Amino acid sequence: MSGHYGDIAFTPGVAAVQTKRGSRKFYARHQARAVGATSDRLTDAERAFLSERDGFYLATVSESGWPYVQYRGGPPGFLKVIDDKTVGWADFRGNLQYVSAGNLTGDDRVSLIVMDYPHQERLKIFGHARAVDAETDPELVATLVDPRYDAVVERAVLVTVAAYDWNCRQHIVPRYTAEEVQELTGTLRHALDAYQVENRELRNCCTARNDRP
């Protein structure tokens, strides 16, 4: 948990529930240690984690006060760490509703939940986002695009990190992509292929012996 995470997340209502449930003293001590801190910078651990992800959940705030959560996906590494205070990505064309993009015009606060299902890890990020249309700054967009990925890029989104927290891994169910399954089962598949070859050779050998006069 970064220093300023509690300042954002632990509102009076949250603190009241923590007090009721017995966890307030623990989190109050954490907030007290963060007093005077000037920034919550991403460390090498967050950089490495984010650079390998192929998707995340993005929450924005609508003008009606409703939260809106949308999944953002792409090739591994499409969510880029620009520096120790900034992450960004190329925003691909979707269903043309533009709810997230529209929400950002009225409120720049966002929250990202970034998952690593196989390793049961979850990183939550609070930040302030700005969207830049591709036509406005093509050079910026070019730094975020993977040319091998076939998608229409409409904008770049840059998020200035305000705080973050590594969430508890409890109840995260491991899930695997097709590529991860292939990687995990590669050794087994090679072993099975070898056994099949050996089995054929043994059958051929037995057949040859039985055919002898």
Side-chain angles (χ1 to χ4, degrees):
M1 183 183 299
S2 68
H4 291 293
Y5 182 86
D7 295 337
I8 297 174
F10 303 153
T11 62
V14 173
V17 176
Q18 290 175 346
T19 299
K20 180 179 179 179
R21 297 297 181 182
S23 62
R24 182 60 200 151
K25 289 184 178 180
F26 172 82
Y27 288 115
R29 287 196 298 270
H30 177 85
Q31 286 183 267
R33 289 196 299 269
V35 172
T38 57
S39 63
D40 288 341
R41 299 186 180 278
L42 299 172
T43 70
D44 289 342
E46 289 78 44
R47 285 173 174 266
F49 179 80
L50 294 171
S51 69
E52 296 176 352
R53 305 281 67 80
D54 62 359
F56 61 93
Y57 300 93
L58 172 69
T60 56
V61 184
S62 72
E63 292 170 290
S64 62
W66 285 95
Y68 181 75
V69 180
Q70 191 169 44
Y71 179 76
R72 285 288 186 264
F78 85 102
L79 177 59
K80 301 185 184 302
V81 179
I82 310 302
D83 55 45
D84 59 6
K85 287 287 291 181
T86 313
V87 299
W89 66 90
D91 208 31
F92 307 131
R93 177 175 295 170
N95 60 11
L96 307 184
Q97 289 188 1
Y98 300 117
V99 179
S100 296
N103 286 347
L104 290 179
T105 65
D107 193 325
D108 70 351
R109 291 175 299 169
V110 296
S111 181
L112 281 65
I113 296 182
V114 192
M115 304 294 300
D116 179 353
Y117 287 105
H119 298 97
Q120 297 174 283
E121 293 182 320
R122 172 174 46 199
L123 179 62
K124 300 181 297 187
I125 298 175
F126 285 125
H128 298 274
R130 66 183 180 94
V132 181
D133 287 341
E135 298 83 1
T136 302
D137 195 341
E139 293 184 1
L140 170 63
V141 172
T143 64
L144 301 173
V145 169
D146 183 341
R148 299 167 297 178
Y149 190 68
D150 185 19
V152 176
V153 178
E154 294 193 326
R155 67 191 59 80
V157 179
L158 300 177
V159 175
T160 301
V161 176
Y164 59 86
D165 181 31
W166 288 93
N167 209 189
C168 174
R169 63 184 296 166
Q170 188 178 18
H171 307 305
I172 299 177
V173 179
R175 294 184 173 90
Y176 302 88
T177 64
E179 291 77 10
E180 288 166 340
V181 170
Q182 290 178 352
E183 182 178 349
L184 290 170
T185 60
T187 301
L188 294 176
R189 285 188 287 106
H190 289 315
L192 179 60
D193 291 342
Y195 290 142
Q196 289 175 332
V197 170
E198 183 180 6
N199 189 42
R200 284 197 299 269
E201 292 175 348
L202 289 173
R203 286 204 307 267
N204 292 336
C205 180
C206 291
T207 300
R209 288 179 180 176
N210 291 335
D211 289 342
R212 291 175 184 173

